[in-house]
Amino acid sequence: MRLPGHDLSRFPVRRRAAHPVTTPDWDLDDFRAAVTDLQDEIAERVAVEDLRRAETVLVERLHEPQFAAVLSATPDGLAESVQRLLLELHNYRPNERSSAHNLPALVRIYLLSRIESAWWRDTPPYVTNADLLAATDLVDLDPLRRAGRLNFRYRRQATTLPARAVRAAERLCWPNRAPGPRGCVSPGPGPRWSR
């Protein structure tokens, strides 16, 4: 589905590389700073319900070199990444349970997620459990955590309904005590956790 009224011709279509790219040619500090600037611009210039204006700002800005370098490196390429973001905006519905509490936050989350997409673009996915169990390029984090060699915190996913209920109660009573569920950032002051 294409959204009408947006000229995306200046966003080149990505051609898949014949071999994996070993060194990214993008500056993540510049990209993150540009994402923050764009988020602030949308927050300042776009009314909450003005989806059309938000789309216009994105189309005007996303061809800039800081964005183009990362978005071009994703499997979708620059043009398709922009189109997907426009579709995300078009389909966006505010939700208390979402980290994307408004349009600027949605833009930020989507654009920052493209870093991971670009970084892992040439890595084949694990299709089956056997693929995952046979992978030699994965690292078990538990021994590294016990040895104090990790610069981040995590905890294993709760697998039973009672365990998930306990975790939900913990998040309500002590919001910054532990990392939140996947995709969430802890609210308020103190350490911020994201996955």
Side-chain angles (χ1 to χ4, degrees):
M1 174 182 160
R2 294 275 179 203
L3 292 175
H6 294 290
D7 176 19
L8 300 178
S9 61
R10 63 180 156 182
F11 298 102
V13 175
R14 181 179 190 275
R15 304 284 182 246
R16 274 229 180 251
H19 54 80
V21 177
T22 55
T23 313
D25 58 352
W26 20 274
D27 183 328
L28 291 182
D29 290 335
D30 285 350
F31 180 73
R32 287 186 181 107
V35 168
T36 299
D37 183 59
L38 177 59
Q39 179 185 16
D40 293 344
E41 180 179 352
I42 291 173
E44 291 170 10
R45 293 179 50 194
V46 177
V48 173
E49 67 282 348
D50 193 355
L51 179 62
R52 186 75 175 150
R53 180 67 185 140
E55 292 172 345
T56 301
V57 169
L58 288 173
V59 171
E60 288 171 359
R61 293 282 314 270
L62 291 178
H63 72 282
E64 294 172 3
Q66 315 86 291
F67 296 112
V70 174
L71 297 178
S72 295
T74 65
D76 295 329
L78 179 57
E80 190 62 31
S81 293
V82 171
Q83 186 63 39
R84 283 180 185 246
L85 178 53
L86 295 177
L87 287 172
E88 289 285 337
L89 285 180
H90 181 73
N91 294 322
Y92 173 72
R93 300 292 176 268
N95 180 337
E96 290 179 10
R97 300 177 74 177
S98 171
S99 299
H101 54 277
N102 58 27
L103 287 178
L106 176 69
V107 169
R108 179 177 185 78
I109 290 166
Y110 177 84
L111 290 174
L112 293 179
S113 76
R114 302 301 85 199
I115 296 171
E116 187 170 346
S117 179
W119 186 262
W120 296 106
R121 70 185 178 269
D122 295 314
T123 304
Y126 301 111
V127 178
T128 66
N129 286 345
D131 293 341
L132 187 63
L133 294 172
T136 59
D137 56 342
L138 297 178
V139 176
D140 184 355
L141 295 179
D142 286 342
L144 295 175
R145 178 172 60 177
R146 285 190 295 272
R149 295 181 54 203
L150 295 180
N151 292 327
F152 61 91
R153 291 178 51 192
Y154 74 94
R155 68 183 185 176
R156 294 185 172 273
Q157 181 75 31
T159 57
T160 65
L161 183 59
R164 289 195 302 264
V166 168
R167 294 264 177 100
E170 286 177 346
R171 283 191 302 275
L172 288 173
C173 296
W174 303 286
N176 292 317
R177 182 172 172 223
R182 188 175 83 189
C184 292
V185 176
S186 297
R192 295 177 67 89
W193 308 106
S194 65
R195 294 186 201 165

